[in-house]
Structures are given as C-alpha cells and as structure tokens.
Amino acid sequence: MRKRIVLWGTGFVGKLVLAEIFRHPGFELVGVGVSDPAKVGRDAGELCGLAPVGVLATDDLNTLIALRPDAVVHYGPTAAHAEENIRVIGAFLSAGIDVCSTAMTPWVWPAMKQNPPSWIDPITEACAAGGASCFTTGIDPGFANDLFPMTLMGLCGEVHSVRAQEILDYSAYEGDYETEMGIGRPPEFQALLEIPDILIMSWGATVPMMAHAAGIELDEITTTWEKWVTDRPVKTAKGVVEPGHVAAIHFTIDGRLSGRTRIQLEHVNRVGPDSAPDWPRGTADDVYRVEIDGSPSIVQETAFRFTDGSGRDAATAGCLATGLRALNAVPAVNALPPGWVTALDLPLIPGKGTIR
C-alpha cells in the first residue's frame, strides 16, 4: 500500500524530492504546503519543472491536515527560523500526523543539552497530544555522521576514536556561507559558526548521539576553527572571493573523554579546488569520510553524484539524498510509538521500491 504524503516546503531540497515522489511506487503525493504566497495555488508539478499533476500548493495548514496523510515530509527553513518550524511541525503532530523533516538539525539528537527547552517541549507535547512521531535527519548533521559511523563501529571490537569528515567545494553553493562560515569575508570577521556554543548546537548533535550509542558519557565537547585566506580572486556561483578574504574554513567538533578526542566531526569547506591545498582531501572531490582507529581500523568514503547527464553537481546530489532519507523513512516512522525519533530508533531503511 502506498503511503499518502504531504510535502511541506518547495525550496531547493523540496523541489528535488517532489520530482522523485511522482514516480515512486511507494508514495502518493496528496498535498503540498508552501510559505511563499507567490506559490499558493500553483501546481506541484510546475513547482519542480514538470508537467501539472493536479495537486495545488497551499499555505493553509488546516487544509493539509484535513487530507489525513500518513506523514508529512517537511523541508522547511533552517533552525534560524525555529519558531515557524515549530508552528508548522507542531500543528501536524498535534493532529496525529507523523513528520519526517530536514529542517531543525539540532533535533537530530533532541537530548543534546544545547537544545533550548523552547525548541523541545512544544514538540514533545504535540507528539503526546496527537500520538504522532517526529524524525529529523540530514546529511551532516545526519546520516553521514550518525548512521554511517555508528554502523561501522558495529564492526569493531574496540574503537579508539571515530572521525566523520565533510570535505566539500562550495563554489556552486548559493546559500549563506558568508555570515554563517565567514567565507568571502575578511579574516577578522567572526562568523556565526565560529562561536563554539553555536557551532555545537547547530552542527554537533551527532557527537553526543554517538557517545550515547557507544555507552559512554563525554567529559566535554570542544571546537577548533581555522581560516584560509586567498591571495588571488576565486570565482564562485555568487561572485568573486577577493584576495585577502577567506576562501576556506576548517573546523572540528570534538567529543573528549579522559583528555582525548574520541569522537570528532571535521569539516573542510572550500571555494575553489585549489584553496587550502594543505588541508585534508578525499580521494575524489566533494566527499564524506568516516575514519575509525580501532580493532580493526576502518575508512569509508562516500560521494554523491548524478550520472544522468543532467550536469547537476555533487552538492545537489547530496541535497537530494538528504531529502530522500526523510521520505524513505516514513514507513518505519509510522510503525514506531509516538514521540521523538532518531537514527537510533530506526531499523534498516533499504529504500523499498527504489529498484524498479
């Protein structure tokens, strides 16, 4: 039986997933929610560049709730818009409709102490009121640094340390990396994520998750931050990073126990493949790596690509994988008891219906 789906949010990720739902045998799109008034009344097919399908977008939550879908796949804005995300997600949960989302990445591990109660309590109450479940995922934070490393840790007799890396070129990225990361800004500019508490809350949720899964309690979580300044212009999709400005950042989020880093998230984010030449690289461009020092030691490298001739880049492929992780999790989330859902609660999600 196909799962009846409402998709909320037709931004970059939402539009990618819409195109996949239409041809997926396991899901039926019954509604589309949008926050942009200009999209209200438009056909879902047209919103993702396809022929009309007869499902019109709306911003009316009650209309979507009345459809009684099996789940909402929610591709709303980031945690910078927490109040709006909580309003929308909470409304569906209170009505008894499960939600699988990619928006509030600190919810990848709701037990993280950096999550403010005002972000957690309303969703806990909504789940209880409606008897519904809420699952949040992503790529990083998300499956690249929770599902992947935790699965590999299960192949070890002992793990001395585990590192999950994101190594990406942001040249084609059009989001806000200037304010959040400081890329394109003078080196003296302090980016939002450069502030340790904000970095841990925004991108570090999987560190305490992995510690919990391994049965340990970390002594502390610390961070490091480095900048690389270009001496020549670097062209990007957003313009040019001028000489003397930051063209790469390198940060870590470190879960420490007994004076040692045992769990580490590491990011190397560049604009331009030649930037920061001495910093870590994968065996190919734009990869996610897991490195486990243990018995045995393990290295896994994952690359997301399109091979359909569309010319779409690796970042777009990763965004699609992010959205589809939430969609493909719907049947499993439907089968779980009400409440918060994390990667630790889910069974294997093999992608039923994907081979066809």
PDB file of all heavy atoms in Angstrom, residues 298-328:
ATOM      1  N   ILE A 298      38.985   1.304  10.208  1.00  0.00           N
ATOM      2  CA  ILE A 298      38.127   1.313   9.024  1.00  0.00           C
ATOM      3  C   ILE A 298      38.131   2.709   8.417  1.00  0.00           C
ATOM      4  O   ILE A 298      38.094   3.705   9.145  1.00  0.00           O
ATOM      5  CB  ILE A 298      36.668   0.926   9.384  1.00  0.00           C
ATOM      6  CG1 ILE A 298      36.621  -0.443  10.067  1.00  0.00           C
ATOM      7  CG2 ILE A 298      35.770   0.927   8.146  1.00  0.00           C
ATOM      8  CD1 ILE A 298      35.253  -0.807  10.621  1.00  0.00           C
ATOM      9  N   VAL A 299      38.154   2.780   7.097  1.00  0.00           N
ATOM     10  CA  VAL A 299      37.966   4.033   6.374  1.00  0.00           C
ATOM     11  C   VAL A 299      36.859   3.814   5.352  1.00  0.00           C
ATOM     12  O   VAL A 299      36.897   2.850   4.581  1.00  0.00           O
ATOM     13  CB  VAL A 299      39.245   4.503   5.657  1.00  0.00           C
ATOM     14  CG1 VAL A 299      38.960   5.749   4.826  1.00  0.00           C
ATOM     15  CG2 VAL A 299      40.354   4.772   6.668  1.00  0.00           C
ATOM     16  N   GLN A 300      35.873   4.693   5.375  1.00  0.00           N
ATOM     17  CA  GLN A 300      34.788   4.661   4.391  1.00  0.00           C
ATOM     18  C   GLN A 300      34.681   6.044   3.761  1.00  0.00           C
ATOM     19  O   GLN A 300      34.729   7.050   4.468  1.00  0.00           O
ATOM     20  CB  GLN A 300      33.454   4.319   5.060  1.00  0.00           C
ATOM     21  CG  GLN A 300      32.243   4.382   4.119  1.00  0.00           C
ATOM     22  CD  GLN A 300      30.970   4.804   4.851  1.00  0.00           C
ATOM     23  OE1 GLN A 300      30.947   5.794   5.568  1.00  0.00           O
ATOM     24  NE2 GLN A 300      29.920   4.045   4.655  1.00  0.00           N
ATOM     25  N   GLU A 301      34.541   6.103   2.444  1.00  0.00           N
ATOM     26  CA  GLU A 301      34.381   7.382   1.758  1.00  0.00           C
ATOM     27  C   GLU A 301      33.149   7.305   0.861  1.00  0.00           C
ATOM     28  O   GLU A 301      32.986   6.346   0.104  1.00  0.00           O
ATOM     29  CB  GLU A 301      35.624   7.700   0.931  1.00  0.00           C
ATOM     30  CG  GLU A 301      35.610   9.103   0.334  1.00  0.00           C
ATOM     31  CD  GLU A 301      36.957   9.468  -0.261  1.00  0.00           C
ATOM     32  OE1 GLU A 301      37.872   9.828   0.503  1.00  0.00           O
ATOM     33  OE2 GLU A 301      37.097   9.384  -1.493  1.00  0.00           O
ATOM     34  N   THR A 302      32.295   8.309   0.951  1.00  0.00           N
ATOM     35  CA  THR A 302      31.034   8.324   0.213  1.00  0.00           C
ATOM     36  C   THR A 302      30.964   9.583  -0.636  1.00  0.00           C
ATOM     37  O   THR A 302      31.212  10.693  -0.139  1.00  0.00           O
ATOM     38  CB  THR A 302      29.835   8.293   1.169  1.00  0.00           C
ATOM     39  OG1 THR A 302      29.956   7.158   2.031  1.00  0.00           O
ATOM     40  CG2 THR A 302      28.525   8.219   0.405  1.00  0.00           C
ATOM     41  N   ALA A 303      30.636   9.407  -1.908  1.00  0.00           N
ATOM     42  CA  ALA A 303      30.478  10.529  -2.831  1.00  0.00           C
ATOM     43  C   ALA A 303      29.076  10.471  -3.430  1.00  0.00           C
ATOM     44  O   ALA A 303      28.613   9.406  -3.839  1.00  0.00           O
ATOM     45  CB  ALA A 303      31.527  10.472  -3.934  1.00  0.00           C
ATOM     46  N   PHE A 304      28.415  11.610  -3.500  1.00  0.00           N
ATOM     47  CA  PHE A 304      27.087  11.706  -4.108  1.00  0.00           C
ATOM     48  C   PHE A 304      27.234  12.375  -5.471  1.00  0.00           C
ATOM     49  O   PHE A 304      27.815  13.462  -5.577  1.00  0.00           O
ATOM     50  CB  PHE A 304      26.139  12.509  -3.213  1.00  0.00           C
ATOM     51  CG  PHE A 304      25.934  11.879  -1.867  1.00  0.00           C
ATOM     52  CD1 PHE A 304      26.733  12.225  -0.789  1.00  0.00           C
ATOM     53  CD2 PHE A 304      24.962  10.911  -1.692  1.00  0.00           C
ATOM     54  CE1 PHE A 304      26.565  11.634   0.453  1.00  0.00           C
ATOM     55  CE2 PHE A 304      24.778  10.308  -0.452  1.00  0.00           C
ATOM     56  CZ  PHE A 304      25.577  10.669   0.622  1.00  0.00           C
ATOM     57  N   ARG A 305      26.714  11.727  -6.505  1.00  0.00           N
ATOM     58  CA  ARG A 305      26.883  12.216  -7.866  1.00  0.00           C
ATOM     59  C   ARG A 305      25.618  11.968  -8.682  1.00  0.00           C
ATOM     60  O   ARG A 305      24.818  11.075  -8.382  1.00  0.00           O
ATOM     61  CB  ARG A 305      28.042  11.471  -8.564  1.00  0.00           C
ATOM     62  CG  ARG A 305      29.394  11.589  -7.877  1.00  0.00           C
ATOM     63  CD  ARG A 305      29.990  12.974  -8.006  1.00  0.00           C
ATOM     64  NE  ARG A 305      31.371  13.017  -7.562  1.00  0.00           N
ATOM     65  CZ  ARG A 305      31.766  13.323  -6.333  1.00  0.00           C
ATOM     66  NH1 ARG A 305      30.866  13.605  -5.408  1.00  0.00           N
ATOM     67  NH2 ARG A 305      33.048  13.348  -6.004  1.00  0.00           N
ATOM     68  N   PHE A 306      25.433  12.756  -9.743  1.00  0.00           N
ATOM     69  CA  PHE A 306      24.438  12.471 -10.771  1.00  0.00           C
ATOM     70  C   PHE A 306      25.161  11.906 -11.987  1.00  0.00           C
ATOM     71  O   PHE A 306      26.168  12.460 -12.435  1.00  0.00           O
ATOM     72  CB  PHE A 306      23.673  13.733 -11.166  1.00  0.00           C
ATOM     73  CG  PHE A 306      22.659  14.173 -10.148  1.00  0.00           C
ATOM     74  CD1 PHE A 306      22.916  15.250  -9.308  1.00  0.00           C
ATOM     75  CD2 PHE A 306      21.447  13.512 -10.021  1.00  0.00           C
ATOM     76  CE1 PHE A 306      21.988  15.659  -8.369  1.00  0.00           C
ATOM     77  CE2 PHE A 306      20.514  13.911  -9.087  1.00  0.00           C
ATOM     78  CZ  PHE A 306      20.784  14.985  -8.254  1.00  0.00           C
ATOM     79  N   THR A 307      24.640  10.816 -12.509  1.00  0.00           N
ATOM     80  CA  THR A 307      25.219  10.203 -13.713  1.00  0.00           C
ATOM     81  C   THR A 307      24.181  10.146 -14.827  1.00  0.00           C
ATOM     82  O   THR A 307      24.272   9.305 -15.728  1.00  0.00           O
ATOM     83  CB  THR A 307      25.720   8.785 -13.394  1.00  0.00           C
ATOM     84  OG1 THR A 307      24.643   8.000 -12.856  1.00  0.00           O
ATOM     85  CG2 THR A 307      26.861   8.828 -12.388  1.00  0.00           C
ATOM     86  N   ASP A 308      23.202  11.052 -14.747  1.00  0.00           N
ATOM     87  CA  ASP A 308      22.099  11.047 -15.716  1.00  0.00           C
ATOM     88  C   ASP A 308      22.308  12.040 -16.852  1.00  0.00           C
ATOM     89  O   ASP A 308      21.402  12.259 -17.667  1.00  0.00           O
ATOM     90  CB  ASP A 308      20.774  11.337 -15.011  1.00  0.00           C
ATOM     91  CG  ASP A 308      20.796  12.667 -14.237  1.00  0.00           C
ATOM     92  OD1 ASP A 308      21.815  13.392 -14.315  1.00  0.00           O
ATOM     93  OD2 ASP A 308      19.804  12.963 -13.551  1.00  0.00           O
ATOM     94  N   GLY A 309      23.479  12.659 -16.904  1.00  0.00           N
ATOM     95  CA  GLY A 309      23.760  13.626 -17.959  1.00  0.00           C
ATOM     96  C   GLY A 309      23.168  14.998 -17.725  1.00  0.00           C
ATOM     97  O   GLY A 309      23.277  15.875 -18.585  1.00  0.00           O
ATOM     98  N   SER A 310      22.578  15.207 -16.543  1.00  0.00           N
ATOM     99  CA  SER A 310      21.931  16.497 -16.267  1.00  0.00           C
ATOM    100  C   SER A 310      22.931  17.593 -15.956  1.00  0.00           C
ATOM    101  O   SER A 310      22.590  18.782 -16.002  1.00  0.00           O
ATOM    102  CB  SER A 310      20.961  16.351 -15.092  1.00  0.00           C
ATOM    103  OG  SER A 310      21.657  16.019 -13.890  1.00  0.00           O
ATOM    104  N   GLY A 311      24.148  17.222 -15.587  1.00  0.00           N
ATOM    105  CA  GLY A 311      25.152  18.221 -15.245  1.00  0.00           C
ATOM    106  C   GLY A 311      25.015  18.775 -13.844  1.00  0.00           C
ATOM    107  O   GLY A 311      25.772  19.679 -13.462  1.00  0.00           O
ATOM    108  N   ARG A 312      24.084  18.237 -13.065  1.00  0.00           N
ATOM    109  CA  ARG A 312      23.913  18.720 -11.696  1.00  0.00           C
ATOM    110  C   ARG A 312      25.099  18.312 -10.836  1.00  0.00           C
ATOM    111  O   ARG A 312      25.677  17.245 -11.022  1.00  0.00           O
ATOM    112  CB  ARG A 312      22.599  18.181 -11.111  1.00  0.00           C
ATOM    113  CG  ARG A 312      21.367  18.766 -11.789  1.00  0.00           C
ATOM    114  CD  ARG A 312      20.085  18.188 -11.232  1.00  0.00           C
ATOM    115  NE  ARG A 312      19.917  16.772 -11.605  1.00  0.00           N
ATOM    116  CZ  ARG A 312      18.890  16.035 -11.206  1.00  0.00           C
ATOM    117  NH1 ARG A 312      17.959  16.554 -10.400  1.00  0.00           N
ATOM    118  NH2 ARG A 312      18.794  14.769 -11.594  1.00  0.00           N
ATOM    119  N   ASP A 313      25.450  19.184  -9.884  1.00  0.00           N
ATOM    120  CA  ASP A 313      26.698  18.996  -9.151  1.00  0.00           C
ATOM    121  C   ASP A 313      26.527  18.086  -7.939  1.00  0.00           C
ATOM    122  O   ASP A 313      25.431  17.649  -7.593  1.00  0.00           O
ATOM    123  CB  ASP A 313      27.291  20.343  -8.751  1.00  0.00           C
ATOM    124  CG  ASP A 313      26.412  21.128  -7.784  1.00  0.00           C
ATOM    125  OD1 ASP A 313      25.415  20.582  -7.272  1.00  0.00           O
ATOM    126  OD2 ASP A 313      26.726  22.305  -7.532  1.00  0.00           O
ATOM    127  N   ALA A 314      27.677  17.826  -7.285  1.00  0.00           N
ATOM    128  CA  ALA A 314      27.693  16.921  -6.141  1.00  0.00           C
ATOM    129  C   ALA A 314      26.884  17.460  -4.976  1.00  0.00           C
ATOM    130  O   ALA A 314      26.243  16.685  -4.252  1.00  0.00           O
ATOM    131  CB  ALA A 314      29.139  16.672  -5.705  1.00  0.00           C
ATOM    132  N   ALA A 315      26.903  18.778  -4.767  1.00  0.00           N
ATOM    133  CA  ALA A 315      26.133  19.353  -3.667  1.00  0.00           C
ATOM    134  C   ALA A 315      24.640  19.101  -3.865  1.00  0.00           C
ATOM    135  O   ALA A 315      23.910  18.803  -2.914  1.00  0.00           O
ATOM    136  CB  ALA A 315      26.414  20.847  -3.554  1.00  0.00           C
ATOM    137  N   THR A 316      24.169  19.206  -5.105  1.00  0.00           N
ATOM    138  CA  THR A 316      22.765  18.942  -5.396  1.00  0.00           C
ATOM    139  C   THR A 316      22.440  17.471  -5.150  1.00  0.00           C
ATOM    140  O   THR A 316      21.383  17.132  -4.607  1.00  0.00           O
ATOM    141  CB  THR A 316      22.434  19.325  -6.843  1.00  0.00           C
ATOM    142  OG1 THR A 316      22.732  20.712  -7.029  1.00  0.00           O
ATOM    143  CG2 THR A 316      20.969  19.084  -7.160  1.00  0.00           C
ATOM    144  N   ALA A 317      23.341  16.580  -5.533  1.00  0.00           N
ATOM    145  CA  ALA A 317      23.133  15.153  -5.289  1.00  0.00           C
ATOM    146  C   ALA A 317      23.038  14.870  -3.791  1.00  0.00           C
ATOM    147  O   ALA A 317      22.198  14.080  -3.349  1.00  0.00           O
ATOM    148  CB  ALA A 317      24.258  14.344  -5.914  1.00  0.00           C
ATOM    149  N   GLY A 318      23.873  15.510  -3.011  1.00  0.00           N
ATOM    150  CA  GLY A 318      23.805  15.341  -1.565  1.00  0.00           C
ATOM    151  C   GLY A 318      22.514  15.870  -0.976  1.00  0.00           C
ATOM    152  O   GLY A 318      21.942  15.266  -0.062  1.00  0.00           O
ATOM    153  N   CYS A 319      22.039  16.989  -1.506  1.00  0.00           N
ATOM    154  CA  CYS A 319      20.763  17.545  -1.032  1.00  0.00           C
ATOM    155  C   CYS A 319      19.604  16.606  -1.347  1.00  0.00           C
ATOM    156  O   CYS A 319      18.688  16.438  -0.536  1.00  0.00           O
ATOM    157  CB  CYS A 319      20.522  18.908  -1.664  1.00  0.00           C
ATOM    158  SG  CYS A 319      21.558  20.229  -1.000  1.00  0.00           S
ATOM    159  N   LEU A 320      19.631  15.992  -2.523  1.00  0.00           N
ATOM    160  CA  LEU A 320      18.583  15.035  -2.869  1.00  0.00           C
ATOM    161  C   LEU A 320      18.630  13.830  -1.930  1.00  0.00           C
ATOM    162  O   LEU A 320      17.582  13.364  -1.449  1.00  0.00           O
ATOM    163  CB  LEU A 320      18.739  14.584  -4.317  1.00  0.00           C
ATOM    164  CG  LEU A 320      17.744  13.513  -4.783  1.00  0.00           C
ATOM    165  CD1 LEU A 320      16.309  13.967  -4.616  1.00  0.00           C
ATOM    166  CD2 LEU A 320      18.014  13.125  -6.239  1.00  0.00           C
ATOM    167  N   ALA A 321      19.822  13.315  -1.655  1.00  0.00           N
ATOM    168  CA  ALA A 321      19.944  12.190  -0.728  1.00  0.00           C
ATOM    169  C   ALA A 321      19.399  12.558   0.653  1.00  0.00           C
ATOM    170  O   ALA A 321      18.737  11.747   1.318  1.00  0.00           O
ATOM    171  CB  ALA A 321      21.404  11.751  -0.630  1.00  0.00           C
ATOM    172  N   THR A 322      19.669  13.783   1.083  1.00  0.00           N
ATOM    173  CA  THR A 322      19.156  14.254   2.366  1.00  0.00           C
ATOM    174  C   THR A 322      17.637  14.185   2.393  1.00  0.00           C
ATOM    175  O   THR A 322      17.026  13.667   3.331  1.00  0.00           O
ATOM    176  CB  THR A 322      19.614  15.705   2.607  1.00  0.00           C
ATOM    177  OG1 THR A 322      21.031  15.738   2.720  1.00  0.00           O
ATOM    178  CG2 THR A 322      19.000  16.276   3.869  1.00  0.00           C
ATOM    179  N   GLY A 323      17.008  14.736   1.358  1.00  0.00           N
ATOM    180  CA  GLY A 323      15.547  14.746   1.311  1.00  0.00           C
ATOM    181  C   GLY A 323      14.955  13.360   1.228  1.00  0.00           C
ATOM    182  O   GLY A 323      13.916  13.066   1.841  1.00  0.00           O
ATOM    183  N   LEU A 324      15.609  12.472   0.476  1.00  0.00           N
ATOM    184  CA  LEU A 324      15.069  11.131   0.294  1.00  0.00           C
ATOM    185  C   LEU A 324      15.257  10.262   1.533  1.00  0.00           C
ATOM    186  O   LEU A 324      14.484   9.325   1.763  1.00  0.00           O
ATOM    187  CB  LEU A 324      15.709  10.473  -0.922  1.00  0.00           C
ATOM    188  CG  LEU A 324      15.282  11.108  -2.254  1.00  0.00           C
ATOM    189  CD1 LEU A 324      16.047  10.484  -3.408  1.00  0.00           C
ATOM    190  CD2 LEU A 324      13.784  10.963  -2.474  1.00  0.00           C
ATOM    191  N   ARG A 325      16.251  10.544   2.352  1.00  0.00           N
ATOM    192  CA  ARG A 325      16.381   9.841   3.636  1.00  0.00           C
ATOM    193  C   ARG A 325      15.124  10.080   4.478  1.00  0.00           C
ATOM    194  O   ARG A 325      14.580   9.155   5.086  1.00  0.00           O
ATOM    195  CB  ARG A 325      17.626  10.320   4.371  1.00  0.00           C
ATOM    196  CG  ARG A 325      17.755   9.887   5.829  1.00  0.00           C
ATOM    197  CD  ARG A 325      18.024   8.421   5.989  1.00  0.00           C
ATOM    198  NE  ARG A 325      18.364   8.118   7.388  1.00  0.00           N
ATOM    199  CZ  ARG A 325      18.402   6.898   7.889  1.00  0.00           C
ATOM    200  NH1 ARG A 325      18.116   5.854   7.135  1.00  0.00           N
ATOM    201  NH2 ARG A 325      18.727   6.700   9.152  1.00  0.00           N
ATOM    202  N   ALA A 326      14.637  11.317   4.498  1.00  0.00           N
ATOM    203  CA  ALA A 326      13.418  11.621   5.249  1.00  0.00           C
ATOM    204  C   ALA A 326      12.206  10.922   4.637  1.00  0.00           C
ATOM    205  O   ALA A 326      11.372  10.354   5.344  1.00  0.00           O
ATOM    206  CB  ALA A 326      13.199  13.132   5.299  1.00  0.00           C
ATOM    207  N   LEU A 327      12.089  10.964   3.317  1.00  0.00           N
ATOM    208  CA  LEU A 327      10.949  10.334   2.659  1.00  0.00           C
ATOM    209  C   LEU A 327      10.956   8.818   2.851  1.00  0.00           C
ATOM    210  O   LEU A 327       9.935   8.219   3.234  1.00  0.00           O
ATOM    211  CB  LEU A 327      10.967  10.668   1.166  1.00  0.00           C
ATOM    212  CG  LEU A 327       9.860  10.011   0.322  1.00  0.00           C
ATOM    213  CD1 LEU A 327       8.497  10.563   0.689  1.00  0.00           C
ATOM    214  CD2 LEU A 327      10.149  10.207  -1.173  1.00  0.00           C
ATOM    215  N   ASN A 328      12.079   8.177   2.602  1.00  0.00           N
ATOM    216  CA  ASN A 328      12.145   6.721   2.689  1.00  0.00           C
ATOM    217  C   ASN A 328      11.971   6.204   4.111  1.00  0.00           C
ATOM    218  O   ASN A 328      11.665   5.022   4.311  1.00  0.00           O
ATOM    219  CB  ASN A 328      13.463   6.218   2.114  1.00  0.00           C
ATOM    220  CG  ASN A 328      13.509   6.288   0.602  1.00  0.00           C
ATOM    221  OD1 ASN A 328      12.511   6.084  -0.072  1.00  0.00           O
ATOM    222  ND2 ASN A 328      14.676   6.608   0.063  1.00  0.00           N
TER     223      ASN A 328
END
